[in-house]
Amino acid sequence: MSRLKDRVAVVSGAATGLGKAIALRLAAEGARVEILDIREASETCAEIRGEGGTADSTICDVTKEEQIKHAVDDIGARHERVDILVNNAGILSGRTPWHQLTFDEVNRFVQINYLGYFLVSKAIYPLLKKSKYGRLINVASRTYFLANPGQMAYVAAKGAVMGMTRVMARELGEEGITVNAVAPGMVATPGTEAHSNEEAFDRVMMNQAIKKRVQPEHLAALVAFLASDDAELITGQMILCDGGGYLH
């Protein structure tokens, strides 16, 4: 596949898990991938290069403007533009009743799961505008619709991402930049598995219309579509990828 041949794609949080699957899929479709992650992403880059693709990574905390600026400057020096931005870096939530949450706990979810998306988008916007293409994709969560008890801070932050997606789609449409969000169900990643057991995964799957566990590759395929020419008139949308679980 080469729908994204020579497109420059930035993916945050792609050292492991869902972000890694997205980076691998975009590279497989021809994109030149740049990874921003607070951890070393050499393994993801090596895998992409091993398949003949192009990848670079920068260690970057997406809540720190100065680190983001340095990372984006490096990307601009290498490519002079960015065609695709996937905001994926984030943290998952355990289960704590809302009235037991501390300010610091809530602030951490807001900083990483929402403000990180805003800061990276703002920093990369000039390079997206320069591309004359522009695909901005935010990884949200179906928990926003489910209002999971005990996950108020996480759900609220993902709700903010939804609002940001819609407003940015309106503001950037005239520049030909699309802005969409994808919302995975319970995806089998190291982060999710740290908070759940096999019984929980099976219970979620049995409530889906399609009785198949959601894998990172399913989300990655959706992101690749939204990043392509095939999705040029799709913007301001939040697309669920949960096997029909929300229908339950």
Side-chain angles (χ1 to χ4, degrees):
M1 292 181 287
S2 58
R3 286 188 298 183
L4 305 177
K5 182 173 173 55
D6 294 330
R7 297 293 184 193
V8 178
V10 176
V11 185
S12 69
T16 61
L18 181 55
K20 179 178 180 178
I22 291 170
L24 292 173
R25 179 59 184 258
L26 296 181
E29 298 215 20
R32 292 178 283 170
V33 174
E34 293 279 350
I35 296 170
L36 304 181
D37 202 300
I38 199 167
R39 295 160 296 183
E40 177 61 56
S42 56
E43 183 179 314
T44 304
C45 290
E47 199 165 330
I48 290 171
R49 292 169 189 151
E51 294 295 325
T54 301
D56 286 287
S57 66
T58 305
I59 293 177
C60 176
D61 182 338
V62 298
T63 69
K64 307 296 184 186
E65 283 190 272
E66 196 61 30
Q67 290 187 30
I68 296 169
K69 180 183 184 303
H70 287 312
V72 173
D73 285 347
D74 288 344
I75 292 169
R78 281 193 288 271
H79 303 289
E80 298 185 349
R81 73 179 199 281
V82 169
D83 302 299
I84 301 156
L85 169 61
V86 183
N87 284 310
N88 167 75
I91 54 173
L92 296 174
S93 172
R95 300 273 180 166
T96 303
W98 72 268
H99 56 88
Q100 294 179 12
L101 289 167
T102 66
F103 171 84
D104 287 342
E105 288 170 330
V106 174
N107 189 50
R108 182 167 179 255
F109 279 103
V110 171
Q111 288 287 326
I112 299 173
N113 290 347
Y114 166 56
L115 286 176
Y117 284 27
F118 164 72
L119 293 173
V120 172
S121 298
K122 184 178 178 181
I124 285 182
Y125 167 61
L127 294 177
L128 271 177
K129 188 174 182 179
K130 190 182 291 187
S131 79
K132 306 297 183 184
Y133 183 78
R135 302 286 189 269
L136 198 160
I137 301 158
N138 295 316
V139 177
S141 172
R142 77 170 189 149
T143 58
Y144 171 75
F145 298 98
L146 300 176
N148 286 353
Q151 294 187 308
M152 186 274 286
Y154 178 79
V155 171
K158 290 299 186 181
V161 168
M162 301 263 307
M164 180 180 80
T165 298
R166 289 170 57 81
V167 173
M168 289 177 67
R170 290 288 298 269
E171 293 190 10
L172 297 178
E174 291 185 2
E175 298 176 24
I177 298 173
T178 67
V179 187
N180 292 289
V182 296
M186 193 171 180
V187 186
T189 67
T192 307
E193 289 167 350
H195 291 280
S196 305
N197 54 32
E198 285 295 310
E199 182 181 347
F201 275 102
D202 289 342
R203 185 168 58 251
V204 169
M205 183 176 65
M206 292 311 297
N207 285 331
Q208 296 173 186
I210 299 173
K211 312 299 187 203
K212 186 173 183 179
R213 187 173 292 184
V214 182
Q215 299 292 338
E217 291 74 20
H218 294 126
L219 248 290
L222 174 57
V223 169
F225 165 69
L226 291 173
S228 74
D229 285 319
D230 296 329
E232 66 175 334
L233 288 183
I234 299 175
T235 196
Q237 302 303 306
M238 206 290 296
I239 304 176
L240 283 160
C241 183
D242 69 341
Y246 185 56
L247 299 173
H248 178 69

